Amino acid sequence: MRGLRREEVAQLAMISTDYYTRLEQGRVASASGEVLAALASALRLGKDERSYLYKLANKDDLHHHQPRDAEGVRPQTHQLIENLCDSPAVVLSRYLDVLAWNQLAAAVLTDFATVRRNERNFLRMLFLDADFRGRFVDWGPVARAAVGFVRASANAPFKPRLARLIGELSLADADFRTWWAERHPSYAAFGTRSYTHPLTGSYLLDWQVLRLPDDEQLLLVMTAPPDTGSLEVLHRLAAPNAT
């Protein structure tokens, strides 16, 4: 308790001693964000300790945990995806905005640098970008899973950025309207997909989505399954003369 008695902590947090005792016992699920913030301040908790307190209560620390924007990809994350020479990799926001990518991801999916920043969204491109959409052999299940993923990540009321995206796709695509209205969340984080490229034809890639620490950012990494010939396909797409 960092040198403070239980009564002193309770007084600083403006709660009763009995209530603080229950919190000490791990019964924090009912604690409000205001109470948690007061406790963190009274106990002078560090960043990791504060994060752990909020996780115990299943609450979001909105004041101390702001998501990074499209310019906020860590340099270490940029270096990580560049070092994945045999694996296409993309950094995404919780709403699937494309924040960063390596050269192999651009070869496999599309050259994201040529896409306007406000249109550089994985979900949007699945429905509205014909070339991007055409890279997925089984487009329907991929698009439907992406809709479910965004649905699972969305909190009502929707943020303006997400509301605009949903409105645009609802007007433009009947499949999106249907799948969004079904309200089926998707938490799929790994699997195998069949891709295609004009230069190579169809090939398989495993994929997995990893949550980056301390950010509301995701890392999508694709890898070649053994004994499928997909690694040779990736090497061919990565060649300087590939078109």
Side-chain angles (χ1 to χ4, degrees):
M1 290 189 6
R2 298 183 179 270
L4 295 174
R5 292 182 290 110
R6 181 180 290 111
E7 294 80 4
E8 293 174 318
V9 175
Q11 184 177 11
L12 287 170
M14 296 181 291
I15 58 177
S16 71
T17 303
D18 288 341
Y19 186 57
Y20 177 68
T21 300
R22 293 199 298 274
L23 297 178
E24 269 194 325
Q25 294 170 348
R27 298 150 66 184
V28 297
S30 63
S32 68
E34 291 78 8
V35 168
L36 296 174
L39 279 175
S41 177
L43 291 169
R44 300 188 291 277
L45 298 183
K47 182 179 179 181
D48 291 341
E49 295 166 319
R50 181 184 179 107
S51 176
Y52 181 64
L53 174 65
Y54 276 78
K55 286 180 179 178
L56 287 176
N58 196 28
K59 296 285 193 308
D60 290 327
D61 187 359
L62 299 178
H63 180 69
H64 279 71
H65 181 62
Q66 295 297 328
R68 293 173 178 265
D69 59 17
E71 298 299 325
V73 177
R74 297 177 185 276
Q76 296 90 336
T77 304
H78 278 289
Q79 190 63 52
L80 169 64
I81 63 176
E82 288 302 322
N83 287 347
L84 296 174
C85 299
D86 289 335
S87 296
V90 182
V91 181
L92 303 165
S93 75
R94 64 183 298 185
Y95 301 137
L96 303 187
D97 292 312
V98 178
L99 309 181
W101 57 93
N102 62 11
Q103 288 183 320
L104 197 49
V108 166
L109 297 173
T110 193
D111 185 359
F112 293 106
T114 65
V115 181
R116 293 179 181 177
R117 179 174 166 181
N118 64 341
E119 298 176 356
R120 203 182 293 154
N121 176 276
F122 201 94
L123 180 64
R124 183 187 187 280
M125 295 174 71
L126 274 172
F127 285 93
L128 302 185
D129 186 317
D131 180 64
F132 187 81
R133 175 174 178 154
R135 299 298 173 96
F136 299 87
V137 173
D138 299 317
W139 172 85
V142 174
R144 190 163 190 167
V147 172
F149 188 91
V150 173
R151 168 64 78 179
S153 302
N155 296 321
F158 299 142
K159 293 184 177 180
R161 169 76 182 89
L162 179 59
R164 289 193 297 271
L165 177 64
I166 295 169
E168 179 184 18
L169 294 179
S170 296
L171 290 173
D173 192 277
D175 285 328
F176 179 85
R177 286 196 300 274
T178 299
W179 296 336
W180 185 260
E182 289 175 349
R183 298 176 178 270
H184 292 320
S186 173
Y187 298 96
F190 61 91
T192 302
R193 289 176 180 151
S194 182
Y195 299 81
T196 187
H197 190 281
L199 187 65
T200 63
S202 299
Y203 59 100
L204 292 175
L205 291 178
D206 293 329
W207 64 275
Q208 57 183 314
V209 175
L210 309 174
R211 294 192 178 274
L212 296 175
D214 203 32
D215 289 323
E216 292 195 7
Q217 293 177 358
L218 310 165
L219 178 60
L220 169 64
V221 181
M222 292 166 274
T223 52
D227 304 320
T228 61
S230 295
L231 184 59
E232 289 74 15
V233 170
L234 292 177
H235 288 167
R236 185 177 178 188
L237 294 177
N241 60 347
T243 59

